[in-house]
Amino acid sequence: MVLPILLISQVVFAATEFSENFDNMSLPATLEETSCCASVSFATGAAVFPGNGNNERAYLHSLDDDFNTVSFVIEVTVTLADGFSGPGAAFFGLGLGEPLASYYEEPREGPHLFMRVFADDVLDGAVTVVDDNVDIFTSPSGAAGAGTHRLRMNWNAETNVASFQIHQNYEGGDFVASGSYGPFNGNDNGFTPADSRIFFGSASGVSFDDLSVKLIQAEFLFSDGFEEVMADSELIE
């Protein structure tokens, strides 16, 4: 007698944690550039966006495109300078990470949830959050501004809820939030395991460095012991 074989299908998600400091002065294997616009320069050991205007915004995004399926904390250091107006804004978040030509090449193509960070010459250095093509939140003026800041996004894959944070005037060391924004509902954004990349970018006068992507147990996000957990976070298997 031949017994029937029961096949059980299992979905395997590929999103993995990683970090990049760009010290190799080349595009790392974990990231790729958008197909349009100006090329990103790594010659200084950081990711520098040399575009000249809103229509030359470019982005780096993760090769893994199913980050909506895992809970994570991502951080990156950004340096902004005055004198570039709108093209000097920094973008950072979750989504397809591709520019939308009809909206100044901002990363609004496909599903998205991201923060925009401005130097002092736009919105007096505020931080804004764009949720599914809606400018849903604007911080008080002076939350960012010209200088070097550490940005953080938290994502809970069980609830599809996100929050954003900034450590203004970052000089290294532990992340200490000077501004926290959210939570934001990502349930209606249309994220799928084919278009949910981590991305960041800009057009002019902006550099990014020290990208950190950590997978973390969802129950630890937004908890009182969050910083301790981040120091030794549990990976999602």
Side-chain angles (χ1 to χ4, degrees):
M1 177 179 178
V2 178
L3 296 177
I5 298 175
L6 179 62
L7 297 178
I8 301 176
S9 62
Q10 184 177 15
V11 178
V12 178
F13 298 119
T16 56
E17 63 177 27
F18 63 94
S19 61
E20 299 292 350
N21 60 17
F22 307 107
D23 285 352
N24 287 335
M25 300 183 183
S26 61
L27 179 67
T30 53
L31 300 171
E32 64 181 357
E33 295 184 65
T34 49
S35 56
C36 78
C37 316
S39 296
V40 182
S41 171
F42 302 97
T44 62
V48 179
F49 291 78
N52 185 25
N54 288 329
N55 292 330
E56 291 191 7
R57 287 193 168 110
Y59 305 94
L60 292 176
H61 58 70
S62 61
L63 291 181
D64 290 343
D65 53 11
D66 57 355
F67 273 98
N68 67 310
T69 65
V70 293
S71 298
F72 62 74
V73 178
I74 54 176
E75 294 181 5
V76 70
T77 299
V78 62
T79 299
L80 307 173
D82 286 331
F84 296 96
S85 191
F91 299 81
F92 169 66
L94 177 69
L96 195 59
E98 292 286 343
L100 183 63
S102 62
Y103 203 98
Y104 309 106
E105 305 289 354
E106 290 195 1
R108 298 177 186 239
E109 187 72 45
H112 54 267
L113 179 57
F114 61 84
M115 67 191 302
R116 294 185 300 183
V117 185
F118 295 101
D120 296 295
D121 53 1
V122 177
L123 295 179
D124 293 325
V127 172
T128 70
V129 174
V130 178
D131 182 356
D132 198 21
N133 212 31
V134 176
D135 294 9
I136 198 170
F137 172 83
T138 300
S139 75
S141 61
T148 298
H149 319 297
R150 187 81 171 158
L151 311 180
R152 173 186 279 178
M153 179 181 182
N154 311 295
W155 173 257
N156 187 325
E158 294 183 2
T159 61
N160 290 335
V161 168
S163 71
F164 295 92
Q165 296 173 293
I166 183 171
H167 179 159
Q168 189 182 34
N169 299 323
Y170 182 70
E171 296 180 347
D174 295 338
F175 186 98
V176 180
S178 54
S180 297
Y181 316 114
F184 299 99
N185 181 12
N187 282 286
D188 56 355
N189 292 58
F191 290 121
T192 74
D195 54 22
S196 301
R197 306 161 174 166
I198 290 165
F199 69 85
F200 56 91
S202 182
S204 306
V206 178
S207 66
F208 291 84
D209 206 355
D210 296 324
L211 173 67
S212 170
V213 179
K214 276 196 172 185
L215 307 187
I216 191 169
Q217 297 286 359
E219 61 266 27
F220 292 128
L221 288 167
F222 318 118
S223 69
D224 291 339
F226 179 76
E227 294 299 339
E228 288 75 12
V229 172
M230 279 302 298
D232 187 23
S233 60
E234 298 184 34
L235 297 182
I236 297 176
E237 302 295 340

